[in-house]
Amino acid sequence: MARILVIEDERGMAYGLRDNFEFDGHEVALAFDGEEGLRKATELSPDLIILDLMLPKKSGFDVCRELRAAGSNTPIIMLTARGQEIDKVLGLELGADDYITKPFSVRELLARVKAVLRRTGEVSSVSGNWRRVGRLLVDFEHYQAQDERGREVEMSVKEFDLLNYLVNHPGKAVSRDELLDKVWGYDNFPTSRTVDNFVVKLRKKIEVDPSKPRRILTVHGVGYKYVP
Ligand code: CA
């Protein structure tokens, strides 16, 4: 999984790409013109940029050139239309890593993305099914978690199980009783206070600011809700 910035002014295309990348487990940010794209590329430092050539305010050529001039080596895949100056892109004069000509199949683009990420080593080589949860990458299957710098974060099995349950019910208000039932199974006679204590622990690990949670929200009178 990677963080991908899509700079594309055709909104239908941008949203479609976002959905597909997210489905593939990536985290996606969108920008709809060249200036916004350049700003987000700097602010968000994504792992990969999908950059349309023809953009309002600043062309994809200029965005690419300015990023490289600023020392960025983030991989860039250019989206071009037939007949555009592909040789310029290819000449690497601009520093793009690859390009794809519209119309393209999403599958083909996803394959290119994977290839570029593999080449640049941006995809973590650890095996497993990693998901981004707040500021962490979590592999629920193998009970592993790491922070944004790739450092291992220790979590107990119950913390993993609770987080897994919440993550798999995104946007749903889940009651403390349901969590006790599904995660603890009532075996150790836990109380609803137990759930609250574990949520506090999880927030410290996954939230950017645990005092202002944005991922695990409290639903008053009910329980908790995970927001992806
Ligand atoms: Ca365009």
Side-chain angles (χ1 to χ4, degrees), residues 8-10 52 54:
E8 163 64 90
D9 58 313
E10 288 164 55
D52 186 35
M54 300 300 282

Side-chain angles (χ1 to χ4, degrees), residues 77 98-101 103-114:
I77 298 178
D98 200 354
Y99 77 98
I100 190 163
T101 306
F104 51 83
S105 77
V106 168
R107 184 176 301 193
E108 191 189 348
L109 179 60
L110 288 174
R112 300 284 186 95
V113 164
K114 281 196 187 113

Side-chain angles (χ1 to χ4, degrees), residues 3-161:
R3 287 172 309 136
I4 300 178
L5 171 62
V6 176
I7 310 175
E8 163 64 90
D9 58 313
E10 288 164 55
R11 291 190 181 238
M13 168 79 82
Y15 294 135
L17 290 178
R18 181 182 62 186
D19 290 350
N20 278 285
F21 288 140
E22 286 184 347
F23 187 78
D24 241 28
H26 301 298
E27 189 176 287
V28 183
L30 300 179
F32 301 109
D33 65 60
E35 280 175 10
E36 186 189 11
L38 193 57
R39 185 167 46 76
K40 287 195 172 166
T42 311
E43 282 172 9
L44 306 174
S45 53
D47 300 318
L48 173 79
I49 299 172
I50 305 292
L51 176 60
D52 186 35
L53 200 49
M54 300 300 282
L55 290 167
K57 294 191 185 167
K58 206 181 260 299
S59 78
F61 282 137
D62 290 335
V63 172
C64 192
R65 194 168 12 233
E66 287 180 37
L67 276 174
R68 291 297 182 248
S72 161
N73 50 16
T74 306
I76 296 175
I77 298 178
M78 298 283 264
L79 304 182
T80 67
R82 246 172 248 294
Q84 283 176 341
E85 303 169 79
I86 291 160
D87 40 338
K88 231 187 198 178
V89 181
L90 275 186
L92 296 181
E93 165 191 341
L94 290 167
D97 295 78
D98 200 354
Y99 77 98
I100 190 163
T101 306
K102 293 178 183 176
F104 51 83
S105 77
V106 168
R107 184 176 301 193
E108 191 189 348
L109 179 60
L110 288 174
R112 300 284 186 95
V113 164
K114 281 196 187 113
V116 167
L117 289 172
R118 237 190 339 264
R119 257 201 325 268
T120 56
E122 289 293 350
V123 156
S124 128
S125 54
V126 258
S127 60
N129 194 7
W130 294 87
R131 290 178 71 161
R132 183 163 289 273
V133 180
R135 49 180 287 271
L136 297 188
L137 279 178
V138 182
D139 173 2
F140 288 109
E141 203 182 325
H142 300 102
Y143 292 91
Q144 308 178 76
Q146 54 178 247
D147 66 12
E148 56 274 80
R149 292 185 188 169
R151 289 176 304 205
E152 194 183 339
V153 173
E154 278 193 37
M155 285 173 42
S156 70
V157 170
K158 275 285 176 275
E159 285 172 52
F160 274 109
D161 289 345

Side-chain angles (χ1 to χ4, degrees), residues 134-221:
R135 49 180 287 271
L136 297 188
L137 279 178
V138 182
D139 173 2
F140 288 109
E141 203 182 325
H142 300 102
Y143 292 91
Q144 308 178 76
Q146 54 178 247
D147 66 12
E148 56 274 80
R149 292 185 188 169
R151 289 176 304 205
E152 194 183 339
V153 173
E154 278 193 37
M155 285 173 42
S156 70
V157 170
K158 275 285 176 275
E159 285 172 52
F160 274 109
D161 289 345
L162 173 60
L163 187 59
N164 197 10
Y165 192 81
L166 289 169
V167 165
N168 281 310
H169 296 80
K172 184 192 167 206
V174 185
S175 71
R176 290 178 178 81
D177 278 348
E178 180 176 345
L179 291 169
L180 284 171
D181 187 24
K182 304 291 184 188
V183 179
W184 278 268
Y186 290 111
D187 48 355
N188 294 318
F189 304 102
T191 65
S192 53
R193 188 72 203 137
T194 309
V195 178
D196 298 339
N197 290 338
F198 270 81
V199 166
V200 170
K201 287 188 209 169
L202 283 180
R203 280 177 175 157
K204 279 188 190 147
K205 291 171 184 174
I206 72 163
E207 299 284 354
V208 174
D209 178 358
S211 68
K212 295 192 190 73
R214 293 178 53 207
R215 299 297 172 193
I216 302 179
L217 306 184
T218 302
V219 182
H220 290 289

